[in-house]
Amino acid sequence: MNMTDDELTRTEVVAALADLQEAQQAIAHSGPSDDVNEIKESLPGLRRAVREAMERHDDPDPPEPPAGDLLEDPRIVEEALKQDDPVQWLSDKALESGEQTAGPEALRRVLRHGDRDEAASVDLVEIAELELVRRERAAARMKRVAALEADARPRRTLDAEGKPCTEEPKVVAERIKNARSELREARGALGEVRAMRITVAGARHADSRTSWTGTPPDREWLLAGWLAEGRVHLLTGSGGRGKSRLALQLAAALASEEADWPLPWWRPTADNRSDGGPSDHHHPPTLPRTDAGGVPVVVASWEDEDAEVHRRLRDLPVPIKALGNRLHYVDCAEWGPLWAPQESGSGHVQTVAELTGAGRRLRRLCEREKARLLVIDPLAAAYGSDENVRALVRQYMASWDAWGRAHKCAVLMIGHPPKGGGSREDGDDNWWSGSTDWPAAARGAWALRFEKANVGARSVKTRPERTFLECMKPSYGPFPETVDLEADGVTWRTIWRPQPEAAAGAAVAGKVPGV
């Protein structure tokens, strides 16, 4: 059987390494009377033979010369001889040892690992990922500059004598031509980075856990039974019914140092009072607190300006000063989506999407402020892909969930039901819009719903008889009790509504502790 050129050169490398190892062992085991000067003099030539054999190896990315310096260590030579591909192993070892720390070189090595479906070392992958970040930022900067340069209007400049003048048409045309060329180059570079990032991610070692001894930590809650720490949740409801106000009220309660913020996330219980009303001694669930009071919260909205939010906070029954600069509001009206197809311009809403520059900016803000809750309002503005494609929806939700767990920041996304949906009469499967993976990927989901008032045989849509907050998915326990609500135009409040005896018994049996 004929050997390929790759197999021949690999055999040559192994033979050269074996000769080098023999010489190194002869020197290591020589006695005082042995004359090993001749063997010592042969070492540079033997190392050079290994390097030359490595360079002849059929490798699209031959190793750099510094890899040969490792050959002075007999232990490295011995370990290299045990490898199926000594060339690749020595090259990677040189990078790991710090002899080759250049980002481009590390990236090339990791890409070869990914193409071969092999795992690379953690340090090597980290260097490669930093190189990808550097390239992405450089390409994005070039894209922004080129977009500014591609302005067809003549500019005011200075001539050779320093006097003001206007660009000539030929200069303008040349500037636009160069800018468009740079714009195409930047878009191509961004596309290459995104393609390489997939391969680099594939070259990582998969981590697993095998030890299950000891006691697992207790689950952390921002709102017991309703809002788990670091996980993604949904809040849906028909347009104009008060979802944004409800989310802002929750954000303010978490950020406040006061314990009496109106928080409509629990249902008052009846006691033995003669009027059958709610107990005066019923208290809301315990909220997370820090030494400074509440916890940092970020609200990102594409709908309301800062002044409107200020007015809503001012009208709440607790002073704004209780927030202590912990409630961060971001007006994202001009940001565009947080998640969308590739920014190279070739993407479509039905193609694979990813975190945009706006998404990275928002995450950095949350990380800097150590936010415990991020509210995204509305989901339709933040998500720039197809809401009906399960794979795309799952990718988006999984990315935010992984980020939230890594930074202990819960994410609450505000969505809408399908057109005409949202009422109890529409059924329990008609409270969200799009793919079934929206509620499936969320760890908790709530719906602000209503029941229509009936006048005879007709339904009055403009005046709901009952508005309530209902938990549609509790991943970590039984369903919390449905909360009946009323609003004064500013603040949502819970109200006590007598329950049928059977329903009340079932609700108590399924009650989550602390809610």
Side-chain angles (χ1 to χ4, degrees):
M1 182 177 66
N2 294 329
M3 297 180 68
T4 64
D5 291 341
D6 183 56
E7 290 172 329
L8 284 170
T9 52
R10 187 174 299 180
T11 302
E12 187 180 357
V13 171
V14 173
L17 282 169
D19 291 340
L20 177 60
Q21 184 188 44
E22 183 180 352
Q24 290 173 335
Q25 289 179 343
I27 295 173
H29 295 92
S30 62
S33 60
D34 294 334
D35 186 5
V36 293
N37 290 331
E38 185 177 350
I39 299 177
K40 290 181 179 178
E41 291 174 359
S42 70
L43 287 178
L46 292 171
R47 287 195 289 268
R48 184 169 59 252
V50 175
R51 288 197 294 269
E52 290 174 354
M54 292 170 66
E55 291 169 1
R56 288 194 296 273
H57 189 276
D58 186 18
D59 188 335
D61 185 25
E64 297 292 326
D69 297 340
L70 296 172
L71 301 175
E72 297 181 8
D73 188 342
R75 294 170 298 178
I76 295 294
V77 174
E78 181 181 0
E79 191 65 27
L81 284 167
K82 300 177 182 178
Q83 308 302 317
D84 293 334
D85 189 347
V87 177
Q88 182 67 47
W89 186 84
L90 283 168
S91 299
D92 292 344
K93 196 68 178 177
L95 276 166
E96 294 171 14
S97 65
E99 294 185 25
Q100 301 175 33
T101 56
E105 177 66 17
L107 180 59
R108 286 194 292 269
R109 300 297 181 202
V110 174
L111 289 174
R112 289 192 65 245
H113 276 283
D115 290 338
R116 292 180 175 185
D117 197 22
E118 297 173 346
S121 68
V122 175
D123 293 341
L124 198 62
V125 174
E126 289 179 353
I127 296 173
E129 289 181 337
L130 289 174
E131 173 64 14
L132 285 177
V133 171
R134 186 192 67 78
R135 293 188 183 191
E136 183 178 39
R137 288 177 177 173
R141 189 180 304 111
M142 181 189 299
K143 180 182 174 183
R144 289 194 299 270
V145 173
L148 292 173
E149 287 292 325
D151 186 357
R153 293 176 298 179
R155 297 177 180 176
R156 297 284 292 175
T157 60
L158 298 178
D159 59 16
E161 298 178 357
K163 297 180 179 179
C165 64
T166 303
E167 283 182 324
E168 297 180 0
K170 290 183 178 179
V171 176
V172 175
E174 184 66 21
R175 171 168 55 81
I176 294 174
K177 179 181 177 181
N178 294 336
R180 288 176 177 173
S181 176
E182 291 181 357
L183 196 58
R184 287 192 298 270
E185 183 180 348
R187 287 172 174 168
L190 286 171
E192 290 178 1
V193 167
R194 288 170 175 83
M196 288 188 290
R197 184 167 280 138
I198 295 174
T199 307
V200 170
R204 274 191 176 275
H205 286 271
D207 295 326
S208 63
R209 176 175 175 175
T210 58
S211 175
W212 304 100
T213 59
T215 303
D218 294 334
R219 180 174 291 107
E220 297 291 336
W221 294 92
L222 286 181
L223 197 64
W226 289 84
L227 191 64
E229 180 184 81
R231 306 310 300 265
V232 172
H233 301 76
L234 289 179
L235 170 62
T236 69
S238 300
R241 294 207 173 264
K243 299 183 304 300
S244 297
R245 290 179 182 271
L246 192 65
L248 182 63
Q249 204 168 324
L250 170 63
L254 290 170
S256 172
E257 63 189 17
E258 298 285 344
D260 296 327
W261 277 83
L263 185 63
W265 253 266
W266 80 97
R267 187 172 70 83
T269 57
D271 59 9
N272 295 323
R273 286 167 45 182
S274 59
D275 60 0
S279 169
D280 291 333
H281 303 291
H282 184 74
H283 297 288
T286 302
L287 297 178
R289 288 291 180 260
T290 64
D291 293 340
V295 297
V297 177
V298 174
V299 178
S301 175
W302 283 255
E303 294 185 339
D304 295 312
E305 71 279 10
D306 298 355
E308 173 60 23
V309 174
H310 192 176
R311 287 189 287 270
R312 293 182 180 183
L313 291 173
R314 178 198 59 192
D315 293 337
L316 289 173
V318 178
I320 291 179
K321 65 180 181 180
L323 297 175
N325 298 322
R326 287 178 293 274
L327 178 57
H328 302 265
Y329 184 81
V330 185
D331 183 355
C332 302
E334 297 182 355
W335 279 31
L338 306 179
W339 190 270
Q342 291 185 1
E343 295 181 40
S344 59
S346 60
H348 185 269
V349 292
Q350 292 183 334
T351 61
V352 175
E354 61 188 14
L355 193 68
T356 65
R360 289 189 288 272
R361 195 188 328 171
L362 182 61
R363 286 186 179 182
R364 286 197 296 269
L365 169 64
C366 295
E367 292 164 14
R368 185 183 72 229
E369 301 300 335
K370 295 181 173 56
R372 297 285 301 279
L373 173 66
L374 167 62
V375 177
I376 296 177
D377 181 22
L379 182 57
Y383 181 71
S385 194
D386 193 328
E387 69 169 6
N388 296 298
V389 179
R390 295 183 65 181
L392 301 182
V393 171
R394 177 66 67 160
Q395 180 193 32
Y396 168 79
M397 295 290 278
S399 175
W400 279 105
D401 194 66
W403 174 83
R405 283 185 282 124
H407 297 281
K408 295 185 177 181
C409 181
V411 182
L412 176 62
M413 301 182 184
I414 301 179
H416 295 84
K419 187 176 181 180
S423 70
R424 172 61 63 84
E425 290 83 354
D426 296 319
D428 288 343
D429 292 331
N430 202 33
W431 56 273
W432 79 90
S433 176
S435 166
T436 55
D437 258 39
W438 287 114
R443 296 300 86 200
W446 321 322
L448 185 61
R449 311 182 77 185
F450 61 94
E451 289 179 348
K452 301 170 185 175
N454 293 320
V455 179
R458 300 175 58 188
S459 174
V460 181
K461 297 182 179 180
T462 58
R463 182 171 59 85
E465 181 183 64
R466 177 192 177 204
T467 301
F468 54 94
L469 181 65
E470 186 173 9
C471 180
M472 309 304 293
K473 179 185 178 181
S475 291
Y476 304 126
F479 282 87
E481 297 168 356
T482 297
V483 179
D484 285 274
L485 300 173
E486 65 177 7
D488 57 9
V490 176
T491 306
W492 282 105
R493 296 187 302 272
T494 56
I495 59 175
W496 182 79
R497 183 182 295 273
Q499 303 290 320
E501 185 176 352
V508 172
K511 183 176 177 64
V512 176
V515 180

